[in-house]
Amino acid sequence: MSKTIYVLNGPNLNLLGKRQPEIYGHETLADVEQKVRERAATFGLEIVFFQSNHEGEIIDKIHEARDHAQGIIINPAAYTHTSVAILDALNTFESPVVEVHISNVHKRESFRHHSYVSLRADAVIAGMGTLGYRAALEYFA
Ligand code: CA2
C-alpha cells in the first residue's frame, strides 16, 4: 500500500508568487503543488495538499492526517510563531513531521526565530525556497 503524506500550508501562502517575490520567489502555490506531486509520484507517495488561512481548519486537517497519513510536511506560515494549538495537534500525530519554511526565518525579524512547531518537528528546513518541500519529500522517501 502506498504511503500518504499530508502537505499543509498556513495563512497567506495562497499569495505565493503574487507578492513579495524577493522573499518568497516567483512560484505560485499551484506550481509548488505540481512539483511536489511529480516528485512524490517518482517515490510512489500519495499527496494530500492543503492550504488554509484559518488555524482551526489546519488543526482539523492534522486530525484527519492521524488516520490517513504516514507523514506531515507543514509550513505553518505565521502560525509557526504563535500557535500552541497547532503544536498540540501535531503532538497527537504519531508519524514523522517535517517543518518547512521557504525563507530563512533566522535571517529575518527576531519574532520569526521561535517556532512552536519545531518542538514537535522531526526535521526543519528553512531558506531553501520552495525546493524545501521536495527536500522534505526526500526525507520521507
Ligand atoms: O518562510 C516561510 O515559509 C514562512 O513560513 C512564511 C510566512 C512567515 O510568516 C514565516 O515567518 C516564514 C509568511 C507566509 C506568507 O506568504 C506570502 C507569500 C507571498 C506573498 C505574501 C505572503
Side-chain angles (χ1 to χ4, degrees), residues 90-101:
L90 288 170
N91 276 333
T92 72
F93 181 74
E94 291 178 358
S95 295
V97 173
V98 181
E99 176 182 353
V100 171
H101 299 287

Side-chain angles (χ1 to χ4, degrees), residues 66 70 77 131:
R66 283 162 43 79
Q70 285 68 50
L131 175 61

